[in-house]
Amino acid sequence: MATPNPYTFIIYVSDAQASAAFYGDLLDITPVFESPRFIAFELSPGVQLAVWSGSDVFGETVAPDTALTRTSELCLSLGSADQIDARFADWRSRGVRIVTEPYDDVFGWTFVAADPDGNLIRVAPVD
């Protein structure tokens, strides 16, 4: 019997297939569930990250409004400033859009990138 996932964090995207490829490559993960507009990855037991291109009640695809201000972030926590700097250099070399270069904030050394739809991805130290 399958165990349900109690936590799924959904990121709205304009193209689920392209976004899944972006996140899969960026985070070195593979999907555990795939459909044309919804693709999920297991981050840890019971926790999933999913990309969804959405649809309305009539089955029409509803793309996210990229002009909207993003009010949440996906955060990848790493163990040290050196690891954060290495991830920054790696992502920059791959052409990932960097929103904020590494800087020291209240929780430590951090930077912010964005996916193709403008969803924010923060890299920060482990709490």
Side-chain angles (χ1 to χ4, degrees):
M1 180 159 117
T3 303
N5 289 312
Y7 302 105
T8 300
F9 298 92
I10 300 172
I11 299 175
Y12 294 95
V13 297
S14 57
D15 181 333
Q17 299 296 320
S19 292
F22 173 84
Y23 280 101
D25 182 54
L26 194 68
L27 303 176
D28 194 26
I29 54 180
T30 57
V32 295
F33 176 83
E34 294 185 62
S35 72
R37 294 188 322 271
F38 184 89
I39 301 166
F41 300 90
E42 185 174 58
L43 298 178
S44 64
V47 179
Q48 289 187 347
L49 169 68
V51 294
W52 185 33
S53 61
S55 67
D56 65 15
V57 295
F58 302 107
E60 297 294 321
T61 298
V62 179
D65 185 348
T66 57
L68 294 176
T69 300
R70 303 299 184 204
T71 58
S72 63
E73 299 175 339
L74 171 66
C75 183
L76 171 64
S77 297
L78 299 176
S80 70
D82 289 342
Q83 289 174 319
I84 292 167
D85 284 339
R87 187 64 55 111
F88 171 75
D90 175 50
W91 287 7
R92 175 177 264 175
S93 73
R94 294 200 228 178
V96 174
R97 184 165 65 99
I98 302 299
V99 175
T100 307
E101 295 203 6
Y103 69 99
D104 199 27
D105 208 329
V106 296
F107 43 78
W109 197 240
T110 186
F111 74 91
V112 179
D115 74 7
D117 288 293
N119 296 297
L120 300 177
I121 308 161
R122 178 177 297 277
V123 179
V126 174
D127 292 337

